[in-house]
């Protein structure tokens, strides 16, 4: 249960940070910059805290970093793949 919560918080935090970017491709317009970034940072901090609670502190911190890195790598490519399949 704790791992699921930590993973969810981390992924949601990365999604908020991604959707606040003006270069995001999921929505027609980016979310308002500052509120989305603040929400994303709070969710990421909660995710790190949850990972640390589930695992040892150093392991939890590095797992949170790796999950965030994978999410922030995959989100732009998933948007590109989605638009690749659509016809103009």
């Amino acid at each position: 249960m704790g791992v699921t919560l930590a993973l969810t918080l981390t992924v949601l935090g990365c999604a908020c940070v991604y959707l606040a970017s003006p270069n995001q491709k999921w929505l027609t317009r980016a979310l308002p910059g500052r509120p989305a970034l603040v929400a994303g940072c709070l969710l990421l901090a909660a995710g790190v805290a949850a990972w640390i609670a589930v695992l040892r502190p150093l392991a939890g911190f590095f797992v949170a970093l790796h999950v965030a890195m994978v999410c922030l790598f995959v989100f732009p490519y998933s948007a590109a793949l989605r638009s690749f399949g659509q016809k103009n």
Side-chain angles (χ1 to χ4, degrees):
M1 183 70 181
V3 172
T4 305
L5 175 66
L7 185 62
T8 303
L9 288 170
T10 307
V11 170
L12 286 176
C14 290
C16 284
V17 170
Y18 175 71
L19 290 174
S21 170
N23 296 324
Q24 60 87 21
K25 300 294 183 197
W26 283 359
L27 303 174
T28 56
R29 287 187 303 140
L31 294 178
R34 186 167 305 274
L37 283 176
V38 168
C41 289
L42 289 175
L43 285 167
L44 284 171
V48 169
W51 281 114
I52 289 173
V54 171
L55 303 170
R56 292 184 175 159
L58 189 61
F61 179 73
F62 280 109
V63 167
L65 283 179
H66 281 94
V67 170
M69 178 184 61
V70 167
C71 287
L72 292 174
F73 174 79
V74 168
F75 287 166
Y77 285 108
S78 67
L81 285 175
R82 187 180 67 170
S83 67
F84 181 71
Q86 297 174 351
K87 293 183 180 179
N88 293 342

